[in-house]
Amino acid sequence: MTGRKRTGQKRRLTPPMAVLVVVTALATGCGDQEMGALRPAGPDAELLHGLFWVMLGLGLVVFVLVMMAFVRAARADGSELDDDEQRRRSTRLVVGGGIVLPIVVLVPLTVTMMAVGSRLAPRLGDAYEIEVTSHQFWWEVHYPETGMVTANEIHIPVDTRVRLLLETDDVIHSFWVPQLAGKIDMIPGQTTEVVIEADDVGAHLGICAEFCGVQHARMRFEVIVHERNDFRRWLDAQTADAAPPVGEAARRGMAVFAERGCAACHAVRGTDAVGDLGPDLTHLASRRSLGALTVPNRRGHLGGWIIDSQAVKPGNLMPPVPMPSEQLLDLIVYLEGLS
Ligand code: CUA
């Protein structure tokens, strides 16, 4: 035994302490709970949340055991043991660590995962269907029940199984609303699906979870949960054609919309604008954000977005649309009327 006492020495930052400091610093990143999977808000997310803790617990047990074995091996001398004792120890380690431990860990984990999987899959029966198509870098949301199309907001009724049919218009994206369900890829040429259900009225943040290009990080959306009657009212309002422009400025703005070529990419139902490259703008003013949650849907941001959306969200597919300020103001008044 070498003397391990270091009397009279000042405490230094040892490797374990350094690891602790780094881990603590990283863990503070978990403080933003805005969209955490650790705060499930629906039955499916609850199941996944439970599975997460089982996996974490078992993983932790394995980690601690391996670390204990590691420390023991590092400190052991072994020279004083006879061959028989060494052989016995080796056998114990192989049987314990190679056979017993995997069985003890993997069997409960497999059973739990199968149980969770079987409870997630069914209960589709009378689910409400919504189609979501991903684009670089926004989300198109289609309600087959009425034919309505909107963008970057998925409104659903509370306590209802909602089946989302997912497609992509370009590259692979991944759909994830951590508080409601697991993530699932959106793959060109395929339709994937996920079922979500929310316990309470409210809003949940969703993101694209697969790198898909320069604005991947600004490809977000919201799932907004309504009481069932409110959802009906919302759907009816959104399904209606756009409100006709009210007032001179709005009427001039509508003309600007046509002259500046906005209609080549955007649709406003009930008008001549039927473009389908960008988001449907029929009820733009009712949305909370612009550019897939990049900026709030307010007058200043809307103007900035129209003039040079590349400055707001570089790499998005909308070109700058420069115009004199009077025209821009008229256009904004028109768009603000699309509620
Ligand atoms: Cu779409 Cu990342």
Side-chain angles (χ1 to χ4, degrees):
M1 269 272 186
T2 51
R4 269 182 279 133
K5 273 189 178 173
R6 285 183 292 177
T7 44
Q9 273 191 8
K10 274 192 178 170
R11 285 203 149 197
R12 295 244 173 83
L13 188 65
T14 59
M17 284 165 68
V19 169
L20 192 66
V21 169
V22 171
V23 168
T24 308
L26 288 177
T28 58
C30 305
D32 177 18
Q33 285 277 302
E34 197 182 353
M35 57 171 292
L38 299 181
R39 285 190 315 149
D44 303 71
E46 258 339 317
L47 285 170
L48 292 170
H49 183 235
L51 180 62
F52 165 78
W53 284 112
V54 171
M55 290 176 78
L56 185 74
L58 291 171
L60 208 60
V61 169
V62 173
F63 177 78
V64 168
L65 289 177
V66 169
M67 284 303 116
M68 281 166 62
F70 172 72
V71 169
R72 205 172 152 194
R75 292 172 64 183
D77 186 342
S79 56
E80 76 278 11
L81 299 176
D82 59 35
D83 286 356
D84 279 354
E85 179 58 19
Q86 285 207 14
R87 211 171 296 123
R88 262 198 299 279
R89 284 193 175 191
S90 303
T91 310
R92 250 192 325 220
L93 199 61
V94 169
V95 172
I99 300 174
V100 176
L101 186 63
I103 290 176
V104 168
V105 170
L106 293 181
V107 168
L109 190 58
T110 308
V111 170
T112 313
M113 285 173 74
M114 286 168 72
V116 168
S118 71
R119 286 178 65 188
L120 283 179
R123 297 191 290 152
L124 269 179
D126 52 353
Y128 188 80
E129 267 183 25
I130 302 173
E131 295 167 2
V132 180
T133 305
S134 52
H135 302 263
Q136 283 171 316
F137 302 93
W138 60 282
W139 310 83
E140 181 180 331
V141 186
H142 175 224
Y143 288 74
E145 185 192 349
T146 66
M148 188 272 285
V149 179
T150 183
N152 304 321
E153 288 180 4
I154 303 174
H155 292 246
I156 63 171
V158 72
D159 287 328
T160 305
R161 305 292 291 165
V162 179
R163 182 186 193 188
L164 300 175
L165 299 166
L166 309 171
E167 292 185 354
T168 172
D169 188 43
D170 35 53
V171 300
I172 297 176
H173 303 265
S174 180
F175 182 96
W176 193 28
V177 194
Q179 285 184 280
L180 296 182
K183 67 178 81 149
I184 186 151
D185 277 359
M186 305 168 89
I187 301 161
Q190 286 187 30
T191 302
T192 50
E193 60 178 79
V194 65
V195 177
I196 58 174
E197 180 179 342
D199 292 332
D200 290 304
V201 169
H204 305 290
L205 194 59
I207 56 166
C208 177
E210 174 90 37
F211 181 74
C212 55
V214 64
Q215 286 300 335
H216 157 71
R218 290 206 187 96
M219 186 170 166
R220 301 192 292 165
F221 60 96
E222 275 187 301
V223 175
I224 297 166
V225 188
H226 298 271
E227 292 293 355
R228 289 184 184 176
N229 289 339
D230 293 343
F231 171 75
R232 280 282 134 215
R233 273 194 288 278
W234 174 87
L235 186 62
D236 289 345
Q238 293 281 319
T239 303
D241 282 347
V246 176
E248 269 312 305
R251 275 191 284 276
R252 287 196 304 268
M254 189 177 180
V256 173
F257 190 88
E259 281 162 27
R260 293 285 165 182
C262 308
C265 296
H266 296 284
V268 179
R269 278 174 274 130
T271 74
D272 295 335
V274 291
D276 61 357
L277 289 176
D280 183 301
L281 302 182
T282 308
H283 297 284
L284 173 69
S286 73
R287 291 187 210 141
R288 302 195 200 195
S289 76
L290 301 170
L293 274 65
T294 299
V295 288
N297 188 6
R298 298 206 197 100
R299 174 167 274 212
H301 289 298
L302 182 57
W305 183 270
I306 294 166
I307 293 293
D308 187 7
S309 71
Q310 296 301 321
V312 184
K313 187 172 173 176
N316 85 82
L317 298 186
M318 176 164 159
V321 188
M323 66 184 77
S325 56
E326 321 79 70
Q327 286 195 2
L328 179 63
L329 272 174
D330 290 343
L331 180 55
I332 289 173
V333 170
Y334 169 59
L335 293 174
E336 284 177 341
L338 300 177
S339 57

